[in-house]
């Protein structure tokens, strides 16, 4: 015996679509935030969509390993080249951090 169907057959897909909640191809949602007098687009990236890629967080200057959920932020007026990948905690603490991250002499500049 098959399980009972609780929905009429003519009903379409229920729930919000990907365009309604701002989620994009990266599995997260996108919003606009104000920081340092500018409007920033902020997209939350799911860990599954970050497979095979690692990024350097500008907040702490540490690597974001592949498969780790994180945040991508860029100024509204800027293009694709100005996107930066942040740890979620670093993005949330961006106002409490110093303006300049000190690197060692041999550290790569990303």
């Amino acid at each position: 015996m098959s399980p009972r169907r609780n929905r009429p057959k003519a009903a379409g897909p229920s729930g919000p679509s990907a365009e309604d909640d701002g989620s994009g191809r990266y599995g997260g949602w996108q919003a606009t935030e104000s920081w340092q007098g500018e409007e920033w687009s902020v997209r939350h990236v799911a860990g599954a969509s970050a497979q095979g890629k690692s990024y350097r967080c500008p907040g702490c200057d540490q690597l974001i390993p592949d498969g780790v959920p994180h945040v991508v932020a860029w100024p509204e007026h800027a293009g694709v080249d100005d996107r930066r990948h942040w740890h979620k905690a670093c993005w949330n603490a961006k106002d409490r951090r110093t303006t300049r991250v000190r690197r060692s002499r041999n550290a790569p500049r990303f």
Side-chain angles (χ1 to χ4, degrees):
M1 186 159 109
S2 339
R4 182 179 149 192
R5 182 180 290 267
N6 291 330
R7 213 174 299 136
K9 289 183 180 182
S14 63
S17 68
E19 291 80 24
D20 294 341
D21 64 355
S23 57
R25 67 181 233 205
Y26 297 108
W29 54 270
Q30 183 171 335
T32 303
E33 294 184 21
S34 181
W35 182 48
Q36 293 182 342
E38 283 187 272
E39 293 297 316
W40 288 70
S41 293
V42 180
R43 179 177 292 154
H44 293 261
V45 178
S49 61
Q51 289 293 335
K53 304 171 193 165
S54 62
Y55 304 99
R56 186 164 298 272
C57 175
C60 65
D61 200 36
Q62 300 294 316
L63 282 178
I64 302 173
D66 64 336
V68 173
H70 60 279
V71 174
V72 180
W74 65 95
E76 283 278 324
H77 68 276
V80 179
D81 295 334
D82 292 326
R83 290 184 300 187
R84 296 294 174 256
H85 296 256
W86 296 68
H87 291 106
K88 287 183 182 182
C90 293
W91 176 255
N92 292 336
K94 64 191 174 295
D95 293 326
R96 297 188 303 268
R97 294 189 178 272
T98 59
T99 56
R100 195 86 179 130
V101 175
R102 295 182 184 222
R103 296 184 176 102
S104 68
R105 289 186 185 194
N106 299 327
R109 294 188 176 246
F110 289 102

